[in-house]
Amino acid sequence: MLRALLCLHFVVQVLSETSPPPPKDVYVENQLLQWTGATQDTDVNYTVKSCRFHFKTLMNVPECVHTPICSCNISLITKGAEHGCVTLAVQAERHGLNSTLVEACSRQAGSCTPEVRVTARPGSLTVHLKENDSMNLEYGGHVKRRVYFGKEGEPLQKYEDTLTSVSVPELEEGQHYCASVQYTYFNKPVGLASCPQCEVIPESRTSTQKMEVTITVVVVFIMVVLVPLLAFLLIFKSRNIKECLRSPWQPDEFFQTLLQPTSLTELGTVIPSRCTSVEHVDTISSIAPEERQGA
Ligand SMILES: *[C@@H]1O[C@H](CO)[C@@H](O)[C@H](O)[C@H]1NC(C)=O
Ligand SMILES: *[C@@H]1O[C@H](CO)[C@@H](O)[C@H](O)[C@H]1NC(C)=O
């Protein structure tokens, strides 16, 4: 019984042992290969592999085998390679189990990494490449540049082998797109690809123009129609409006009251103050009917 339990424990342990997650963000800068471990597990080590220009197989980089640190000095490897062309990849290991290999990119242009600049315009992204660089001059037409392209966060796909700058059309506005470029020699990738450069596709002119037109129409409507109308109402009609709101009696009755001598004398005392305040007019009109009723 005990033996069976121990056996079961062993089986469970073997089954739960899985390969570690691959390293992330693997790049080269100033002859130093660096990466980020995807786990805090202290049992995990890393091994760097490289492939020189014409060699087909990846070989361990002796200085960086089973290393617990997250960097590797690659100056000796690139120095020994033709035109400095090496491909580099890193894998994580734990208890003899390996993660997948993650290929490194280069954050700088170099003898074997193309110079790239990415710009975005409404609907398209342009990958600018230098026309004549040292690789092209040395190897002529056998060397091309392979453009990889895709949405940010997704794996980049091969887009085109080219000698000149490339524009990718019909892209979604407001989305982030990335491009990376690598040399090819007889259609085989060589050296480190440039690290992905991402840009957001800006809104097109027509949609911003539509917005501007709408705003202009609204402003013009307010200026031409609403402002004069309001001014007219305020200046000429406020008296009428207030009268309408306040006085339930007829205008001709009002004038009859005005013509009565008592009211006129009363009015005369009030008239001088009309110039200073419009409100006094209302005072008169509201006094007048009370007087009439009192009379
Ligand atoms: C890498 O190694 C080379 C020679 O072995 C040395 O000159 C250089 O300073 C090192 N670079 C770094 C970043 O350690
Ligand atoms: C690139 O090289 C070609 C051939 O060597 C030459 O004709 C061309 O003028 C060069 N272009 C530039 C921009 O230097």
Side-chain angles (χ1 to χ4, degrees), residues 29-32 73-76 79:
E29 196 167 27
N30 298 324
Q31 299 296 312
L32 195 66
N73 186 340
I74 57 155
S75 60
L76 287 179
K79 215 174 270 175

Side-chain angles (χ1 to χ4, degrees), residues 121-123 171 173 202-215:
R121 277 190 305 173
L171 298 178
E173 288 173 11
E203 300 254 314
S204 72
R205 202 96 172 255
T206 50
S207 48
T208 39
Q209 272 175 344
K210 267 184 208 158
M211 186 87 134
E212 280 167 11
V213 166
T214 314
I215 291 170

Side-chain angles (χ1 to χ4, degrees), residues 40 58 80 115 126 128 133 135 144 155 165 205 239 244 251:
Q40 298 296 319
L58 281 167
E115 201 175 309
T126 304
H128 301 270
D133 53 25
M135 278 285 273
K144 283 191 178 171
S165 300
R205 202 96 172 255
R239 201 168 130 191
C244 279

Side-chain angles (χ1 to χ4, degrees), residues 1 18 52 61 88 108 122 124 130 132 137 144 148-149 158 160 169 174 194 196 207 209 215 236 247-248 269 286 290:
M1 180 64 182
T18 53
R52 290 186 187 172
V61 172
L88 294 157
Q108 299 157 316
S124 76
K130 223 173 136 186
N132 288 339
L137 292 176
K144 283 191 178 171
Y148 300 89
F149 175 79
K158 179 185 158 185
E160 191 178 315
S194 65
S207 48
Q209 272 175 344
I215 291 170
F236 297 105
S247 47
T269 58
S286 56
E290 282 160 20

